Amino acid sequence: MQQVKNGSILIISDNLETGRLISEKVKLLRNSDTLQLVTYIEAISVLNSNQPSLIIVYSSNEESLGIIKEIRTLENLDKVPIIFVMEAFNEDLLLFAFDNGIDDFFFLNEADSVILMRILLALKKSMLYKQIEIKNDILITAEIIDKNSGIYTKEQAPLALKNFFSKSLEENLGNTVFMCIKPVSTSGKRLNMQEIADVIKNVSRCDDIIAFGRNSTFYLILYNAGKQGAKMVASRIQELLSQKCKIFANAAEINASFEETEAILLKNIKEQITENIEFNFLYNLVSNEEENTDITDENGKNFKDFKKEFYTGFEKIVTPVFYQMQITSSDNIKEAKINFDITETQSIFTISKNDRISELIITYPSYMKLLIDIIHKSEDKKLKSRRLAFDFEDFSSEKLLSILQDVLKEFEAELKNEDKELK
């Protein structure tokens, strides 16, 4: 589609005399603005080859308003502002026009200054959409935004949302809500996540932030929403998707870190699905972990119990594996010193001999994700290192045992290399 310069306006009218009257009012804009008047018959053909900055539509009856809906289906025209012109107030006609996709309206007998103000605001909105499209193109190229849905990718969402959380906390943006949405198929068929993403985008306001989340969820940041605003958004999404899936939503005001909030919401939404609770809102999450331990949600779930459950499950995996590898490795690698330590912030398995040291360090930045750092060093000199990341639900004793066995093989290989160098 050909891009017309900024400020171009297309007037579509089912009455050319009225269309010329509108043109005379619009001509009071800058000389640099371009203006074109077309009939309904010509409109689609013109729009298939040109993209104006603003479309003004005049219709004398409801029957011809279908052209607005048709315009909205054309490529790259879904965001071009449309102003509807009426001779007199007609509630049914106006509501029908809004349902079909108009952005604003004015009456023919209104003062020229009022008409110009509305047109200038619409042109400013059009420019804003173009700037957003340019930024989105850059983000899509960098694979930060998904090219099909236009929302943050699952891989980039954590980094982006951490920044939004930090800004929200710094600026003390009250009523800002982070919501996790989990769609569940009601037919047993696989869900179309792109289709669901499109619905969420249409329901959300332009300043809301949407991202693909972990475990087939969506993340939303809703400014100035509060509990009722979040509940209305979730209800509207459910209403539009009722034939395809059931929506479970868990939300909380942003007053803790992204990692803390994400972990709690994902944990809660699993329980919601089990208990068939469609919407849940959490109160008073704070970044201070000691205060967090006594917080409960409106269903009585306690964060302290949540942490305890995580550590219990984690220790059942790590402690037996670390102990087993300490015993077997002491037998296989003579004179090696092997130790392990498990705390609430990290777990470390260490093997050393001569000046060679190998460490496997597990940290848990949130209670849903694990990071494993493997470091081989000689005294204070780091020789090799790598990092692995796992969702906790994908972590197992077998996986940890396999990783540790690889670490020990690498440690033995380093010792053999050292012996060869000495010889």
Side-chain angles (χ1 to χ4, degrees):
M1 177 178 290
Q2 179 184 347
Q3 293 285 332
V4 178
K5 65 180 181 179
N6 294 329
S8 63
I9 301 172
L10 181 68
I11 299 175
I12 305 172
S13 177
D14 62 358
N15 183 303
L16 283 181
E17 185 177 342
T18 305
R20 291 189 189 100
L21 177 61
I22 297 169
S23 299
E24 290 300 318
K25 293 176 177 289
V26 175
K27 279 182 182 178
L28 294 174
L29 291 170
R30 300 163 302 186
N31 291 332
S32 60
D33 298 325
T34 60
L35 182 64
Q36 186 176 2
L37 170 63
V38 298
T39 65
Y40 274 44
I41 296 172
E42 300 167 320
I44 299 302
S45 176
V46 170
L47 288 170
N48 276 325
S49 58
N50 295 276
Q51 181 182 343
S53 295
L54 171 64
I55 300 171
I56 298 176
V57 175
Y58 170 78
S59 176
S60 57
N61 60 78
E62 185 176 310
E63 291 179 2
S64 57
L65 271 182
I67 194 169
I68 297 174
K69 190 172 184 179
E70 191 174 354
I71 290 170
R72 287 303 187 208
T73 64
L74 297 178
E75 185 181 2
N76 296 327
L77 289 176
D78 59 323
K79 297 297 183 183
V80 175
I82 299 177
I83 297 180
F84 179 53
V85 185
M86 304 175 68
E87 289 190 16
F89 179 73
N90 181 322
E91 184 178 1
D92 291 337
L93 190 62
L94 186 58
L95 291 175
F96 187 83
F98 271 109
D99 285 342
N100 279 269
I102 69 167
D103 297 87
D104 201 355
F105 70 97
F106 63 78
F107 299 109
L108 272 177
N109 61 356
E110 285 193 281
D112 290 347
S113 58
V114 173
I115 294 173
L116 292 180
M117 179 181 66
R118 290 183 180 274
I119 291 173
L120 289 171
L121 286 173
L123 288 171
K124 188 177 291 186
K125 183 177 181 180
S126 180
M127 278 299 299
L128 178 61
Y129 278 133
K130 284 184 172 65
Q131 291 169 2
I132 292 172
E133 285 176 3
I134 292 170
K135 290 179 181 177
N136 282 351
D137 286 343
I138 295 170
L139 294 174
I140 288 170
T141 303
E143 296 184 348
I144 295 172
I145 284 182
D146 177 72
K147 66 178 180 180
N148 295 315
S149 61
I151 68 177
Y152 284 97
T153 63
K154 176 184 174 182
E155 292 74 22
Q156 297 298 328
L159 179 59
L161 294 180
K162 283 178 190 177
N163 292 331
F164 288 123
F165 267 64
S166 298
K167 183 178 180 181
S168 178
L169 293 170
E170 286 173 9
E171 298 182 5
N172 194 26
L173 299 177
N175 280 334
T176 302
V177 171
F178 178 54
M179 183 159 67
C180 176
I181 288 179
K182 173 76 172 181
V184 177
S185 175
T186 53
S187 64
K189 296 180 180 179
R190 186 174 182 178
L191 296 175
N192 185 330
M193 300 301 279
Q194 294 291 343
E195 185 178 347
I196 296 171
D198 289 339
V199 170
I200 294 174
K201 278 182 64 179
N202 290 333
V203 170
S204 304
R205 296 177 301 192
C206 61
D207 59 346
D208 293 335
I209 297 160
I210 311 170
F212 285 106
R214 291 194 289 121
N215 305 330
S216 300
T217 61
F218 293 91
Y219 296 159
L220 282 78
I221 291 181
L222 310 172
Y223 289 104
N224 196 29
K227 177 182 177 180
Q228 290 306 314
K231 193 170 186 177
M232 288 179 66
V233 170
S235 297
R236 180 61 176 154
I237 294 170
Q238 178 62 83
E239 179 184 342
L240 295 173
L241 292 170
S242 59
Q243 301 299 317
K244 302 179 184 299
C245 62
K246 187 168 185 178
I247 294 296
F248 293 89
N250 195 226
E253 284 191 9
I254 294 180
N255 50 20
S257 71
F258 167 71
E259 292 88 348
E260 290 172 310
T261 311
E262 179 194 36
I264 297 171
L265 263 59
L266 287 174
K267 175 67 167 59
N268 270 271
I269 211 161
K270 285 185 177 180
E271 296 178 353
Q272 282 179 236
I273 294 170
T274 302
E275 299 171 14
N276 199 29
I277 299 171
E278 295 181 15
F279 181 83
N280 189 28
F281 194 87
L282 307 177
Y283 296 95
N284 300 324
L285 294 181
V286 292
S287 56
N288 184 299
E289 189 173 287
E290 291 304 315
E291 293 180 56
N292 257 344
T293 58
D294 293 323
I295 291 173
T296 59
D297 66 16
E298 59 187 14
N299 293 314
K301 302 296 180 183
N302 192 287
F303 185 62
K304 186 192 299 182
D305 295 335
F306 174 47
K307 284 179 60 178
K308 183 178 178 181
E309 182 178 332
F310 170 85
Y311 289 129
T312 300
F314 179 73
E315 287 181 346
K316 284 181 180 178
I317 295 173
V318 176
T319 303
V321 173
F322 276 8
Y323 181 75
Q324 176 186 345
M325 294 305 293
Q326 183 184 41
I327 299 301
T328 56
S329 300
S330 296
D331 294 336
N332 296 334
I333 307 175
K334 302 300 182 183
E335 299 179 1
K337 295 180 181 179
I338 302 173
N339 297 294
F340 67 85
D341 184 38
I342 301 173
T343 71
E344 290 192 353
T345 57
Q346 63 179 12
S347 299
I348 305 174
F349 185 95
T350 306
I351 180 168
S352 62
K353 183 177 179 180
N354 302 333
D355 65 342
R356 299 282 175 171
I357 303 172
S358 292
E359 291 180 324
L360 182 144
I361 304 171
I362 307 176
T363 54
Y364 0 101
S366 72
Y367 300 118
M368 300 294 291
K369 194 176 188 66
L370 302 173
L371 298 177
I372 299 180
D373 289 291
I374 298 167
I375 302 169
H376 299 289
K377 56 188 177 180
S378 175
E379 293 182 342
D380 295 329
K381 182 180 179 182
K382 188 182 290 186
L383 301 175
K384 296 178 183 177
S385 66
R386 67 179 184 275
R387 167 169 283 191
L388 308 173
F390 297 94
D391 289 340
F392 179 64
E393 62 183 18
D394 296 329
F395 197 59
S396 64
S397 300
E398 292 76 17
K399 191 163 291 186
L400 178 58
L401 182 61
S402 175
I403 294 169
L404 260 178
Q405 287 171 339
D406 289 341
V407 171
L408 292 172
K409 288 177 183 177
E410 292 165 3
F411 177 77
E412 289 183 280
E414 292 291 337
L415 288 178
K416 290 178 181 178
N417 289 336
E418 183 180 9
D419 290 341
K420 288 180 182 178
E421 290 173 5
L422 289 174
K423 292 177 180 180

